[in-house]
Amino acid sequence: MADVKHDVIVVGSGAGGAMAAYELTKSGVKVLMLEAGRDYDPKTETPMFKRNGEAPLMGAGNVDKDFGFYDATVDGGWTVPDEPYTMAEGTEFLWWRARMLGGRTNHWGRYSLRFSEHDFKGKSRDGLGADWPFEYDELAPWYDKTETLVGVCGANTGHEDMPPSSPGVLQTPPTPRITELLVAAAAKKEGIDLAPMHRAVLTAPKDIRSKCFYATPCGHGCSIGAAFQTTTSLIPLARETGLLEVVTDAMVRSVDTDDDGKVTGVTYVDKKTGKDEKLSARVVILAASACESARILLNSKSKKHPNGLANSSGQVGRNIMDSTGANIGAMVPALRNRPRYNEDGHTSNHLFIPWWGHQAQAKGELDFPRGYHFEIGSGFREPGSSVAGDLQGYGKALKDEAKANYGAYIGFALRGEMLPNEHCYMEIDDKVTDKWGIPVAKFHWKWSEHELNQIKHGLETAKVIFANMGADVGELPTPEEAILKGGEIIHEVGSTRMGESPTDSVTNQWGQTWDCNNLFVMDAGVFASNPHKNCTLTIMTLAMRNADWLATQMKQGVI
Amino acid sequence: MTDKQPDQDYQYLPRLSRRESLKWMGILAASAALPGLAACSDNTAVAATQAGHWPELSLAPVTAKGYGKDPNLIIPPETPWPRTLTPAQLTTVAVLSDILVPKDGNVPSASQVNVPDVVDEWVSAPYASQQRDRITILSALAWIDDEAELRFQKPFTKLSSAQQTAIIDDIAYENAKTPEQFQRIATAFSRFRSLVLAAFFCSPEGTKDIGYLGNVAIAGDYPGPTEEAKQHLDKMLQELGLSDYAYQEQRA
């Protein structure tokens, strides 16, 4: 095809898209990246050292900036102007979108835990959900490569839920803080170990990026590149090859096919002009985020693909999973009036509570499948709009009480595995379209007893650990009350899941759609399950591995 | 509490940008012509029953624009919504703020670090939780003035410190012993207190006072807890019977 300027079009500039573009351009492939949001330059736009007190409303979150004024997500969030989505009656689902170059990597938590051999073969263990079409051992070298490129700090502790990285891959984790050490002792009394969190934060400099200086919230974004985001790492590194072109404000309407059903390119709306543009390429990679990629596929109907592109299995939009979430916390009296010191660290968990229950589960002692972990919220944080808690009285006594309680609160955030179920899926709304006339996603959602039992177990376990610290969390809420909404943890995956067979999955193990050999999905849509571990590291690892495979296929002329 | 008599002419003057100060002058001019603007509620309707009085305010919702999805984060915009507290309400907020957070040695009081401006910005914001707080806090301000009129026949800011304290003592504690007539105002006052404390500790002086030592770039590795903090941890673990379970660092 002589008119083809780019070999590959990548839709999306977040974790999956940027990694695919990086890997392909390093292999000599010409890539055009389309981003639906605006251009974004963390070097000039990141309010790193800004304080809550300088922001409107003390930095508090609202519908304009869900995670607070200085959160790095611009033009996005759980609501996006001009881009509605709908929900079936009785459904509550929150769909986070970041409309900016770099996508959600600009503000994510940077927790980077490997999935383990158990995680890839859940169905073989308990008969539920689906296995992934490969073994952990096949992915392990790619985890090593991804962690090395991205820069992940952490440690190999031999914990059963945390497969080791090869020697020299992980950067040194920061030393734990007082509150984490207290939780560690209180959990150990119950036989539960803490471990250094693995985070995509540099504790030593790497390529064009600086190391962490242990100040400023990572959620503000990181102009020095220490906290990983594609805008300060993969995208500029890929651009250095001279083979990457990026077009922002490009909202993809459809993936286009020829009469044989083969992918020819994409049609996108240039949001600046409102006009449709058509592009052609040998290969199209969707990495627009799980539900956005599924939406594009379902909106790409043709004679050959009447139910949407790559949807002969009917599985596009199905099998959506989020992580389960619940919060529990209390003031710990022993921490009152404790000695002050700089407790910022890399501003997030230095230690966390990995899932400890594999053996109990194997023995049938638990009434739920799969696992969860606890992230710990604590510390002498920068004061914000809710610094003081619920206090009584007035005057100096009041202020002294507020100061005594400062840094004495500990909160656990549960993050657990959800099983796919038939009630959790998205489709295209037959009435509603967005500003550009593109039909929108409609969500269906329902938790099952697996998730509710898991939450119950988590709350009860947390209560015991808090009691060991001398803290009372009070009466526990029911799991139904405690569980956060679908989409609220922003770990939605599975809408284009991979598998062994075209009848029950959308892609093969390379993210290649069964129906079109030159159409790939390289975001979390391909996940066959959603282990309790945050998904971004695995999105990047799969994108690196699968883009490498794709580059080889292209060189060999297979695709 | 100080026992000095309040300055009867005290008026809190907000720290304002030029754009906002023009608006403010308009409000001052209007309020001069409308004495009694401080009491939003209709005092004649107030009856001190067993359940207490409550000013049922009919507030028009704030419909101003928010700062949007893509504000300038480097130079935050002047909040685009107008501030809505009257001079009298703002002065009441200032007096209450300083009762909650008085000057403490070298540490300034709440009004000295412009907490009332933050409260005004907050209750005037168009977002859902601020609009809920707007009803709560404006009702609390009106209740406090109504109570001052009922007890002492003057607005709250014109009362003596002892008179102010008498009212605050009744509403500043929310527990099983709180009389029924003060329960609702105690809940509303709690929300106001939380907001004032947050605004105070968010100020540079308050942040220093609470002991936040972060947001400082560190050149080498993160140093972790100080010796003093570690000793305090050891003591804690001992008292909680957790010394045997202390974290052992494992690094491969």
Side-chain angles (χ1 to χ4, degrees), chain A residues 152-279:
Chain A
V152 175
C153 67
N156 291 328
T157 62
H159 194 285
E160 62 180 349
D161 201 35
M162 298 172 74
S165 304
S166 291
V169 167
L170 295 176
Q171 297 195 346
T172 309
T175 188
R177 295 165 286 202
I178 294 299
T179 48
E180 293 160 333
L181 292 168
L182 176 62
V183 172
K188 185 73 180 172
K189 193 176 176 187
E190 305 303 317
I192 298 169
D193 288 318
L194 270 69
M197 178 56 94
H198 291 199
R199 280 194 83 212
V201 173
L202 299 178
T203 58
K206 176 175 277 301
D207 50 60
I208 57 174
R209 294 166 281 167
S210 308
K211 71 177 269 298
C212 183
F213 50 43
Y214 307 107
T216 86
C218 298
H220 288 197
C222 188
S223 63
I224 65 168
F228 180 86
Q229 56 202 78
T230 61
T231 36
T232 48
S233 56
L234 297 181
I235 292 172
L237 290 169
R239 275 179 162 147
E240 280 179 5
T241 63
L243 297 175
L244 175 67
E245 188 184 335
V246 178
V247 178
T248 51
D249 295 300
M251 182 85 190
V252 171
R253 185 185 292 280
S254 60
V255 176
D256 304 325
T257 49
D258 61 19
D259 292 344
D260 298 329
K262 194 173 168 69
V263 166
T264 54
V266 304
T267 300
Y268 72 92
V269 184
D270 179 339
K271 285 159 74 176
K272 284 178 175 156
T273 65
K275 286 191 181 139
D276 276 15
E277 304 286 345
K278 266 186 182 301
L279 292 170

Side-chain angles (χ1 to χ4, degrees), chain A residues 111-396:
Chain A
Y111 294 140
S112 298
L113 299 162
R114 288 185 181 205
F115 296 176
S116 73
E117 57 181 306
H118 298 303
D119 295 325
F120 289 111
K121 298 293 170 189
K123 186 176 185 183
S124 299
R125 255 168 59 230
D126 56 32
L128 300 165
D131 284 343
W132 295 60
F134 54 75
E135 305 282 337
Y136 170 76
D137 289 346
E138 292 173 52
L139 205 59
W142 293 98
Y143 271 132
D144 278 345
K145 285 182 195 181
T146 305
E147 287 169 347
T148 303
L149 171 63
V150 162
V152 175
C153 67
N156 291 328
T157 62
H159 194 285
E160 62 180 349
D161 201 35
M162 298 172 74
S165 304
S166 291
V169 167
L170 295 176
Q171 297 195 346
T172 309
T175 188
R177 295 165 286 202
I178 294 299
T179 48
E180 293 160 333
L181 292 168
L182 176 62
V183 172
K188 185 73 180 172
K189 193 176 176 187
E190 305 303 317
I192 298 169
D193 288 318
L194 270 69
M197 178 56 94
H198 291 199
R199 280 194 83 212
V201 173
L202 299 178
T203 58
K206 176 175 277 301
D207 50 60
I208 57 174
R209 294 166 281 167
S210 308
K211 71 177 269 298
C212 183
F213 50 43
Y214 307 107
T216 86
C218 298
H220 288 197
C222 188
S223 63
I224 65 168
F228 180 86
Q229 56 202 78
T230 61
T231 36
T232 48
S233 56
L234 297 181
I235 292 172
L237 290 169
R239 275 179 162 147
E240 280 179 5
T241 63
L243 297 175
L244 175 67
E245 188 184 335
V246 178
V247 178
T248 51
D249 295 300
M251 182 85 190
V252 171
R253 185 185 292 280
S254 60
V255 176
D256 304 325
T257 49
D258 61 19
D259 292 344
D260 298 329
K262 194 173 168 69
V263 166
T264 54
V266 304
T267 300
Y268 72 92
V269 184
D270 179 339
K271 285 159 74 176
K272 284 178 175 156
T273 65
K275 286 191 181 139
D276 276 15
E277 304 286 345
K278 266 186 182 301
L279 292 170
S280 56
R282 271 170 76 188
V283 174
V284 170
I285 297 174
L286 293 179
S289 85
C291 295
E292 191 68 278
S293 290
R295 177 188 174 207
I296 292 169
L297 290 174
L298 291 171
N299 276 329
S300 302
K301 288 183 185 172
S302 63
K303 259 187 199 161
K304 282 274 180 187
H305 306 286
N307 300 319
L309 190 53
N311 195 26
S312 61
S313 64
Q315 293 296 302
V316 174
R318 298 274 153 182
N319 312 305
I320 298 180
M321 298 160 269
D322 189 17
S323 296
T324 61
N327 298 313
I328 182 167
M331 196 266 285
V332 180
L335 289 171
R336 275 165 55 91
N337 283 313
R338 66 193 175 98
R340 306 304 201 235
Y341 66 101
N342 181 344
E343 216 159 43
D344 279 358
H346 67 24
T347 73
S348 205
N349 282 222
H350 290 189
L351 298 179
F352 82 118
I353 305 180
W355 173 237
W356 63 91
H358 287 113
Q359 288 170 28
Q361 226 151 27
K363 286 186 223 156
E365 292 170 3
L366 302 180
D367 65 352
F368 60 92
R370 317 296 170 89
Y372 62 87
H373 71 263
F374 283 121
E375 296 163 12
I376 302 167
S378 63
F380 294 126
R381 300 284 182 76
E382 188 209 329
S385 62
S386 56
V387 65
D390 207 8
L391 299 170
Q392 304 273 304
Y394 61 90
K396 185 165 169 15

